[in-house]
Amino acid sequence: RRGDGRLTGAANRKLVCLEGEELRLAAAAGSGPLRLGLHGCCRFMAGSLDFKTHADQACRAADEFVNIYYDTMDKRRRVLTKLYLDTATLVWNGNAISGHQALTEFFEMLPSSDFQINILDCQPVHEQATQGQTTVLVVTCGTVKFEGNKQRYFNQNFLLTAQVTPQNTVWKIASDCFRFQDWAS
């Protein structure tokens, strides 16, 4: 973990950039290629890779995604919708929000935030369940403090799908479900 509570994993050897409506992860100079299929060198979960390999790749992709997502949510929220598919749905405490315009308006109305991730879990979703679409389930738990409010616990689940072109692979959020976790004392 870094001092700000974000998960780092192997993030110190990767360069993260938002370009247009794409999220790309690329290897920094001298660190070697990323074998996550995130930058066109191989397709994630393709071919006859075993489940452990799929799970390891999903965990590395999820670790990078979580760093990017919550950093963007806290510091560059105006570009957050670039991480979502055009058809994505966010369910925020039981309220569904769909489409880029509605997501943009929703994120703009939220007060500034400080997210701290305590738990990250992920797994590849079997291709039979997603009609061959490469998909990863990412689950996070932690705390968030929105400006003017008390710190609260939350749980958030993402379904990420790989958008593959001949040049590269871009991960986008297909589904996002956020819920505050308030327990009786």
Side-chain angles (χ1 to χ4, degrees), residues 6 69-77 113-115:
R6 302 262 188 255
Y69 182 86
Y70 291 106
D71 186 66
T72 304
M73 179 70 142
D74 287 344
K75 298 175 185 166
R76 300 177 297 141
R77 193 172 298 159
S113 60
D114 181 22
F115 279 86

Side-chain angles (χ1 to χ4, degrees), residues 14 50 55 69 106 146 185:
K14 297 175 186 152
D50 62 26
Y69 182 86
F106 175 77
F146 285 105
S185 8

Side-chain angles (χ1 to χ4, degrees), residues 44-45 49-60 124:
F44 176 71
M45 292 177 50
L49 297 175
D50 62 26
F51 180 78
K52 181 176 180 346
T53 301
H54 296 313
D56 289 346
Q57 290 174 335
C59 288
R60 288 192 303 268

Side-chain angles (χ1 to χ4, degrees), residues 25 34 36-43 164-170:
L25 305 178
L34 297 178
L36 297 177
L38 296 171
H39 197 67
C41 61
C42 65
R43 185 166 186 269
V164 181
T165 67
Q167 293 78 29
N168 60 40
T169 300
V170 177

Side-chain angles (χ1 to χ4, degrees), residues 35-36 44-46 48-64 120-126 134-138 171:
R35 300 295 297 169
L36 297 177
F44 176 71
M45 292 177 50
S48 61
L49 297 175
D50 62 26
F51 180 78
K52 181 176 180 346
T53 301
H54 296 313
D56 289 346
Q57 290 174 335
C59 288
R60 288 192 303 268
D63 187 48
E64 284 294 320
L120 167 62
D121 189 23
C122 63
Q123 62 183 325
V125 178
H126 197 283
T134 303
T135 305
V136 175
L137 171 65
V138 178
W171 291 95

Side-chain angles (χ1 to χ4, degrees), residues 13-17 24-28 31 34 38-39:
R13 55 183 202 94
K14 297 175 186 152
L15 168 68
V16 179
C17 55
R24 290 187 190 164
L25 305 178
S31 66
L34 297 178
L38 296 171
H39 197 67

